[in-house]
Amino acid sequence: MGSLLSVTDIKDDVKYILELASKIKAGEIEEKPLKDKTLAMIFQKSSTRTRVSFDVGMYQLGGRAIFLSSNDLQMGRGEPISDTAKVLSRFVDGIMIRAIEHDDVIELAKHSDVPVISGLTNLEHPCQALADMLTIKEHFGVWKGKKICFVGDGNNVCNSLLLIAPLLGMNMSVACPKGYEPSETILKTAKEYAMENNTEIIVSDDIGVALENVDVVYTDVWVSMGDEAETKQREIDFAPFQVNSDLMSIANDEAIFMHCLPAIRGQEVTGDVIDGPKSVIFDEAENRMHAQKAVLYYYMKD
C-alpha cells in the first residue's frame, strides 16, 4: 500500500508518477479510475490550492473527497492520532492531511490501513514538488541538466525540491541568509541522491554563486504559517534575497520564475517578475491538480 509523506517515499517511482500525471492531464487514461473511492482530507492549516485541487481531482477521477478541519474531528479535542487513523481507515480509501507537525503525519500513517498523502507539513511538501517538476518538464521538455535555484527560506518546499531535483537529473542551488538553511537531514539525503545521479547541490548565502547558470528561479514567502512572531526579523534578514528584475538578470536568459503561492508582491518577489513574461506560476498552480491526480491514482487504484 504505502504512503506519500516525503519525496523519499517515491524515490524509485518519481518519473513514473510524473509520466502518469502528463497522461492524466492529456486525457490518456480511463475515465473514472477511482469510481466509488473516498478520500478524507484533514486540514490543520488553511489552504486554497491543496484543498481545491484534491477535491476536484478526486471528483474527476470518479471518487469523492470529504473536507475535515481540526474543528470537525475529535482529534482537535484530544483524541489520539492513532485512534483517528484506525477509525478513518474503516470508512475511507485514502487520507490526505495538511498538517503542522511532520511527526503527526508519520503517526497517522503508522496506524492507518489506507494510504496517507501529505498535503504539507513543517518539513516537506512533496505534492508541490511533483507539480513543480511537471511544470518544468512542460516548459523545457527535459529535466536532465537543468538547474533550479530556490531563493529565500530553506523551508518545507525547499526541502522537497532538494530531494526531487537530483532524482530527475537536475542540479539545484539554495540562496538563503545564514541561519535559514534547509534541514540538515534533508540536505544530507539530497546530496546522496545528487551523487548517485551525477548532479550538484549547493547552499550559499551568496546570491551570485547560487544563481550561476540557473534555468529556474523559485521563491516562497519569507514568513510561513507558524512563523508570524518572527516577521520583523525575517523581513530584515531576507530583504537582500528579494526576487526582482536585477536578480533575474543573473540567471540564464531563458530562465523561468516559479512560486508555490500564495505570494506577497513587493516582499519576496516584485510585481514585474511574478506578473511578467518569465513567470509560470499559474501553470504551476494548475499542475497541483494533475500531479495529485497521479498520486491518487498511484496509491488508491485497485
Side-chain angles (χ1 to χ4, degrees), residues 32-46:
K32 303 292 182 182
L34 299 186
K35 187 176 184 295
D36 298 327
K37 300 278 187 178
T38 302
L39 176 74
M41 303 192 304
I42 301 174
F43 285 86
Q44 294 178 347
K45 286 187 171 186
S46 58

Side-chain angles (χ1 to χ4, degrees), residues 207-272:
I207 295 176
V209 169
L211 280 169
E212 184 178 355
N213 196 32
V214 161
D215 303 289
V216 181
V217 178
Y218 197 122
T219 195
D220 192 4
V221 292
W222 293 343
V223 184
S224 297
M225 288 180 283
D227 294 329
E228 289 81 4
E230 304 172 13
T231 298
K232 289 185 178 179
Q233 187 60 51
R234 282 173 172 262
E235 287 177 349
I236 294 170
D237 294 341
F238 286 107
F241 293 82
Q242 181 189 65
V243 179
N244 50 39
S245 56
D246 289 340
L247 186 146
M248 287 295 296
S249 69
I250 304 173
N252 291 343
D253 291 342
E254 302 303 317
I256 59 174
F257 171 77
M258 300 181 74
H259 193 305
C260 54
L261 301 180
I264 302 178
R265 288 164 172 80
Q267 193 171 92
E268 75 272 9
V269 60
T270 54
D272 62 315

Side-chain angles (χ1 to χ4, degrees), residues 87-102:
V87 170
L88 287 178
S89 296
R90 303 290 183 103
F91 297 144
V92 301
D93 304 287
I95 302 170
M96 189 285 299
I97 179 168
R98 185 174 173 89
I100 298 170
E101 298 295 332
H102 192 76

Side-chain angles (χ1 to χ4, degrees), residues 163-179:
L163 292 170
I164 201 169
L167 293 176
L168 296 169
M170 292 186 69
N171 300 306
M172 181 164 174
S173 59
V174 179
C176 61
K178 291 179 179 178

Side-chain angles (χ1 to χ4, degrees), residues 38-44 50-58 64-70 72-73 88 92 94-98 117 292 296:
T38 302
L39 176 74
M41 303 192 304
I42 301 174
F43 285 86
Q44 294 178 347
T50 299
R51 178 177 178 178
V52 178
S53 57
F54 268 108
D55 199 334
V56 175
M58 273 300 291
R64 63 167 302 199
I66 302 173
F67 172 81
L68 300 166
S69 72
S70 295
D72 296 321
L73 294 170
L88 287 178
V92 301
I95 302 170
M96 189 285 299
I97 179 168
R98 185 174 173 89
I117 299 166
Q292 286 158 192
L296 292 167

Side-chain angles (χ1 to χ4, degrees), residues 57-302:
M58 273 300 291
Y59 171 77
Q60 291 183 355
L61 292 173
R64 63 167 302 199
I66 302 173
F67 172 81
L68 300 166
S69 72
S70 295
N71 294 330
D72 296 321
L73 294 170
Q74 296 297 336
M75 196 166 72
R77 297 177 58 218
E79 180 176 67
I81 293 174
S82 56
D83 287 1
T84 298
K86 291 172 183 176
V87 170
L88 287 178
S89 296
R90 303 290 183 103
F91 297 144
V92 301
D93 304 287
I95 302 170
M96 189 285 299
I97 179 168
R98 185 174 173 89
I100 298 170
E101 298 295 332
H102 192 76
D103 286 346
D104 287 349
V105 180
I106 292 174
E107 180 73 2
L108 186 74
K110 178 181 177 182
H111 296 280
S112 174
D113 292 326
V114 298
V116 173
I117 299 166
S118 171
L120 174 144
T121 70
N122 60 342
L123 184 64
E124 271 204 64
H125 200 347
C127 288
Q128 179 68 53
L130 285 166
D132 296 336
M133 292 301 134
L134 179 61
T135 308
I136 291 169
K137 179 69 174 295
E138 288 178 344
H139 188 84
F140 291 109
V142 297
W143 293 299
K144 189 173 179 61
K146 295 299 179 181
K147 182 179 178 181
I148 179 171
C149 178
F150 186 95
V151 182
D153 188 16
N155 61 12
N156 46 12
V157 173
C158 179
N159 287 334
S160 287
L161 288 171
L162 279 167
L163 292 170
I164 201 169
L167 293 176
L168 296 169
M170 292 186 69
N171 300 306
M172 181 164 174
S173 59
V174 179
C176 61
K178 291 179 179 178
Y180 295 96
E181 294 86 359
S183 158
E184 289 184 9
T185 302
I186 295 284
L187 190 56
K188 180 182 177 182
T189 302
K191 287 185 175 181
E192 290 172 358
Y193 290 173
M195 187 173 296
E196 292 170 6
N197 293 279
N198 196 30
T199 61
E200 186 178 42
I201 300 287
I202 297 173
V203 177
S204 177
D205 62 347
D206 186 324
I207 295 176
V209 169
L211 280 169
E212 184 178 355
N213 196 32
V214 161
D215 303 289
V216 181
V217 178
Y218 197 122
T219 195
D220 192 4
V221 292
W222 293 343
V223 184
S224 297
M225 288 180 283
D227 294 329
E228 289 81 4
E230 304 172 13
T231 298
K232 289 185 178 179
Q233 187 60 51
R234 282 173 172 262
E235 287 177 349
I236 294 170
D237 294 341
F238 286 107
F241 293 82
Q242 181 189 65
V243 179
N244 50 39
S245 56
D246 289 340
L247 186 146
M248 287 295 296
S249 69
I250 304 173
N252 291 343
D253 291 342
E254 302 303 317
I256 59 174
F257 171 77
M258 300 181 74
H259 193 305
C260 54
L261 301 180
I264 302 178
R265 288 164 172 80
Q267 193 171 92
E268 75 272 9
V269 60
T270 54
D272 62 315
V273 171
I274 194 170
D275 298 316
K278 291 179 178 288
S279 177
V280 296
I281 60 168
F282 297 115
D283 292 339
E284 181 184 3
E286 178 190 338
N287 279 335
R288 285 292 305 279
M289 183 172 70
H290 304 303
Q292 286 158 192
K293 285 168 75 173
V295 169
L296 292 167
Y297 185 102
Y298 178 84
Y299 281 100
M300 293 177 62
K301 189 178 184 300
D302 292 333

